[in-house]
Amino acid sequence: MEFKTITLTISGHVAELTLNRPDKLNALNTQVLSELREAVALLRRQEEVRAAIITGSGGKAFAAGADIGELADLSKSEEGASFSQSGQHIFELIENSRMPFIAAVNGFALGGGCELALACHIRMCSETAKFGQPEVALGIIPGYGGTQRLTRITGPTYAADLILTGRTIDAQEALASGLVSRVVSSEKLLDTAREVANAICEKAPLAIRAAIEAIYSTDQSGYEREANLFGKLITTNDFREGTAAFLAKRKSKFTGQ
Ligand code: COA
């Protein structure tokens, strides 16, 4: 299978999937998401693959979020809800996979990029990594499962702090908050991810599969609510203003409408 915006390699039992749109900080446009879905579906069918690493190319970003240019074209509530659900579905394929996914975050993991990392079972990052859910600055909320997973992973108090302020945090704060389990130098990040992946591959495959299933059994209603709220926000003037301001590289003026 040929991919244009991601690369996929398999070595032994470990797959490496790299988001490869560095000029746009690996922003998740329709093509990236569709190739990501294909790649994850492909890996789920490969019995010999027992662990997968996701990272970003270019050294500056893991992924800087959903593609704001594409997002700005949405105007109807149903379009927004379906945009949210399609991302949720791909990230669910990752979380519900029989193999562990390891996010190796090597720079910005913002918005959908942070949500992609959150959907992975293990997150580690470089000392230069930055995380955040800046959607409220665009007049929307995290729509790819972030309201659910960030809350589950870090607890509601910290999740609300990040989601409501939209602030960006560094690697040390990500470690302290439980968002990642390890911080290493940029040079060591991929090797560390490979070591962890290989260590998992040496364990009993059925036990790994059962552990994932046991850890991630979740109630789906929160995801549905997230997609519906995301859809409603797409119809607001504040969403038009937030995305237009980002694309015009200016500060937003929100009116609450
Ligand atoms: N969607 C679309 N394009 C994006 C993007 C996104 N989420 N994030 C970055 N880009 C593009 C920029 O528009 C720019 O493109 P250009 O060179 O054609 O102008 C390129 O990637 C480089 O980004 P730039 O903003 O110039 O880099 P920076 O180092 O000054 O800032 C960020 C980096 C991550 C702080 C900034 O790009 C940013 O805030 N991105 C949006 C993050 C966000 O809100 N994500 C959530 C989306 S729901």
Side-chain angles (χ1 to χ4, degrees), residues 6-81:
I6 65 171
T7 61
L8 179 64
T9 57
I10 298 174
S11 167
H13 293 305
V14 180
E16 284 185 29
L17 202 160
T18 306
L19 304 171
N20 193 19
R21 207 186 163 216
D23 55 325
K24 295 289 180 186
L25 305 185
N26 302 320
L28 305 170
N29 66 4
T30 311
Q31 189 174 4
V32 177
L33 285 173
S34 140
E35 293 188 359
L36 185 61
R37 188 184 51 234
E38 286 295 318
V40 172
L42 180 86
L43 291 178
R44 284 169 62 109
R45 293 194 298 270
Q46 308 276 311
E47 274 297 319
E48 80 277 11
V49 179
R50 297 213 207 124
I53 296 167
I54 303 187
T55 193
S57 74
K60 193 171 165 188
F62 176 74
D67 188 290
I68 299 172
E70 283 191 357
L71 199 55
D73 288 339
L74 304 177
S75 57
K76 297 199 182 94
S77 178
E78 312 81 71
E79 287 172 354

Side-chain angles (χ1 to χ4, degrees), residues 21-29 60-61 63-71 83 108-113 115 130 132-138 140-144 168 230 243 246-247 249:
R21 207 186 163 216
D23 55 325
K24 295 289 180 186
L25 305 185
N26 302 320
L28 305 170
N29 66 4
K60 193 171 165 188
D67 188 290
I68 299 172
E70 283 191 357
L71 199 55
F83 178 93
F108 289 111
L110 301 177
E115 291 170 295
K130 304 256 189 243
Q133 296 290 162
E135 287 85 351
V136 289
L138 298 170
I140 45 175
I141 57 173
Y144 290 166
T168 300
F230 187 93
T243 48
F246 175 81
L247 295 171
K249 300 186 191 290

Side-chain angles (χ1 to χ4, degrees), residues 137-138 236-246 250-255:
L138 298 170
T236 64
N237 290 338
D238 279 352
F239 166 69
R240 301 251 75 77
E241 167 62 11
T243 48
F246 175 81
R250 66 169 170 80
K251 199 169 165 35
S252 329
K253 286 187 205 134
F254 293 125
T255 58

